[in-house]
Amino acid sequence: MQRTPGVGRRRAMAGGAAALAVLLATAGCKVSGTDGEHVGASGAATGKQPPPLTQAPDDSEGRDDSPGRDSDSGSGDGSGSDQESGRTPPTPSARPSPVAAPGDDGGRVRELQARLAQIAWYFGPGPSGEYDTGTVKAVKGFQAKRGLPRTGTTDRATWDRLTGMTRKPTYFQLYAAGDQPPAKPDKRCLTGRALCISKTSRTLTWMVDGKVVSTMDVRFGSQYTPTREGEFTVYWKSRHHVSTLYDTPMPYALFFSGGQAVHYSSDFAASGYTGASHGCVNVRKKERIASLFAQVRKGDKVVVYR
């Protein structure tokens, strides 16, 4: 039988291709075509594209996110720069924000004043929480003594130097001048008309039917002449009272237990909590006790508690 030249070779190649296709189908493999299409086991293009990359590779390891370096910037060789990306570079701040500055008020200023008072740079009855001219003067003095720029503004360098020389102020150092927040009222104060006096917060809160009418800071007797605790009533009001025992003025006196009374104290107004009473409840601000005196009646409740 005569054979046509090349026919045997072509049949052998076709048989080999068929065998390869069977092998691939059995293994479940896919072959990628030259144009990027996925090709199935049969060799036909599926028309499906590879799934997109949904997450960038983790490049956080070894990245410099230290202060002063923009983590979104390029490598420094010009690639990925703001000019190439079209982004507007951020405008750098001229100077860092101060910790506290003239005109500020609040807890940070109160702490600043208390720390300055610890090293005898801030004077007065106590911290006010207001960055006033006295605070500016104290900060300038502290800065000049330590070789810092004498600005009167508490910048980070000034604050770090001050906190390194002082201790965290106690609650009553922060409120040595008064105006501390009142304590939670005793449950006996929640009904009727009551002078609610807390030894913990050193405040007197005037309450009517559970509602706060006014609050004022107060001080008490020393350990040798303590202010009595408990529930009492106002039994006598004396506008211009003078103590017969100590011969000292007791204006706007509201007596509630023997010789103990709520009254204005000029010494408390001048000296703050550096002193103490002989058992009475001293009020610092005359206008507040005057208003209270006008509202309180004989028989109103007085509750002194911790």
Side-chain angles (χ1 to χ4, degrees):
M1 182 177 179
Q2 188 178 2
R3 297 183 180 179
T4 305
V7 173
R9 179 176 296 180
R10 288 195 296 272
R11 289 177 178 174
M13 292 177 62
L20 177 61
V22 171
L23 177 63
L24 291 175
T26 303
C29 295
K30 293 183 180 180
V31 180
S32 178
T34 57
D35 61 355
E37 289 185 322
H38 280 191
V39 179
S42 63
T46 64
K48 295 180 180 179
Q49 297 294 329
L53 188 66
T54 57
Q55 184 173 358
D58 184 7
D59 62 351
S60 60
E61 185 175 353
R63 185 174 60 193
D64 184 5
D65 285 336
S66 58
R69 180 181 175 91
D70 184 0
S71 60
D72 290 334
S73 66
S75 60
D77 59 358
S79 62
S81 65
D82 287 330
Q83 288 80 0
E84 290 186 3
S85 65
R87 292 179 301 177
T88 303
T91 303
S93 177
R95 63 176 61 182
S97 300
V99 175
D104 289 351
D105 57 28
R108 177 54 61 86
V109 177
R110 190 177 292 275
E111 181 179 351
L112 167 67
Q113 294 167 333
R115 287 183 181 273
L116 288 168
Q118 290 178 16
I119 52 177
W121 276 109
Y122 181 81
F123 300 97
S128 65
E130 298 178 0
Y131 209 120
D132 51 16
T133 55
T135 306
V136 172
K137 182 178 179 180
V139 171
K140 282 184 176 180
F142 175 82
Q143 290 170 329
K145 182 72 173 180
R146 272 78 197 175
L148 298 168
R150 191 171 177 270
T151 62
T153 295
T154 305
D155 55 17
R156 177 55 61 181
T158 301
W159 180 254
D160 289 346
R161 189 66 181 273
L162 177 62
T163 54
M165 298 175 60
T166 56
R167 63 189 181 279
K168 188 172 180 62
T170 65
Y171 176 85
F172 288 119
Q173 286 176 334
L174 291 172
Y175 293 99
D179 293 325
Q180 56 267 23
K184 182 179 179 180
D186 186 279
K187 62 182 181 180
R188 294 170 290 182
C189 303
L190 300 179
T191 57
R193 300 163 56 88
L195 297 172
C196 199
I197 303 171
S198 168
K199 284 189 173 181
T200 299
S201 63
R202 298 195 286 199
T203 56
L204 182 158
T205 302
W206 169 230
M207 303 183 70
V208 177
D209 296 330
K211 296 182 179 180
V212 175
V213 178
S214 61
T215 299
M216 56 205 76
D217 42 286
V218 295
R219 74 177 184 183
F220 306 97
S222 67
Q223 66 179 96
Y224 303 107
T225 56
T227 303
R228 290 183 279 275
E229 298 173 21
E231 183 176 339
F232 313 92
T233 57
V234 174
Y235 69 89
W236 182 29
K237 296 174 60 175
S238 181
R239 167 65 181 82
H240 301 287
H241 193 81
V242 177
S243 171
T244 56
L245 185 59
Y246 300 104
D247 195 29
T248 55
M250 296 171 56
Y252 304 102
L254 300 167
F255 286 90
F256 62 88
S257 177
Q260 294 188 356
V262 176
H263 67 84
Y264 170 72
S265 169
S266 58
D267 179 71
F268 184 25
S271 306
Y273 290 103
T274 58
S277 74
H278 292 100
C280 288
V281 178
N282 291 164
V283 177
R284 184 201 307 267
K285 297 184 177 180
K286 183 180 287 187
E287 66 277 9
R288 294 192 183 181
I289 184 62
S291 175
L292 182 68
F293 186 87
Q295 297 175 62
V296 171
R297 308 168 188 162
K298 287 177 62 176
D300 285 346
K301 189 167 24 179
V302 179
V303 179
V304 183
Y305 67 102
R306 290 193 179 274

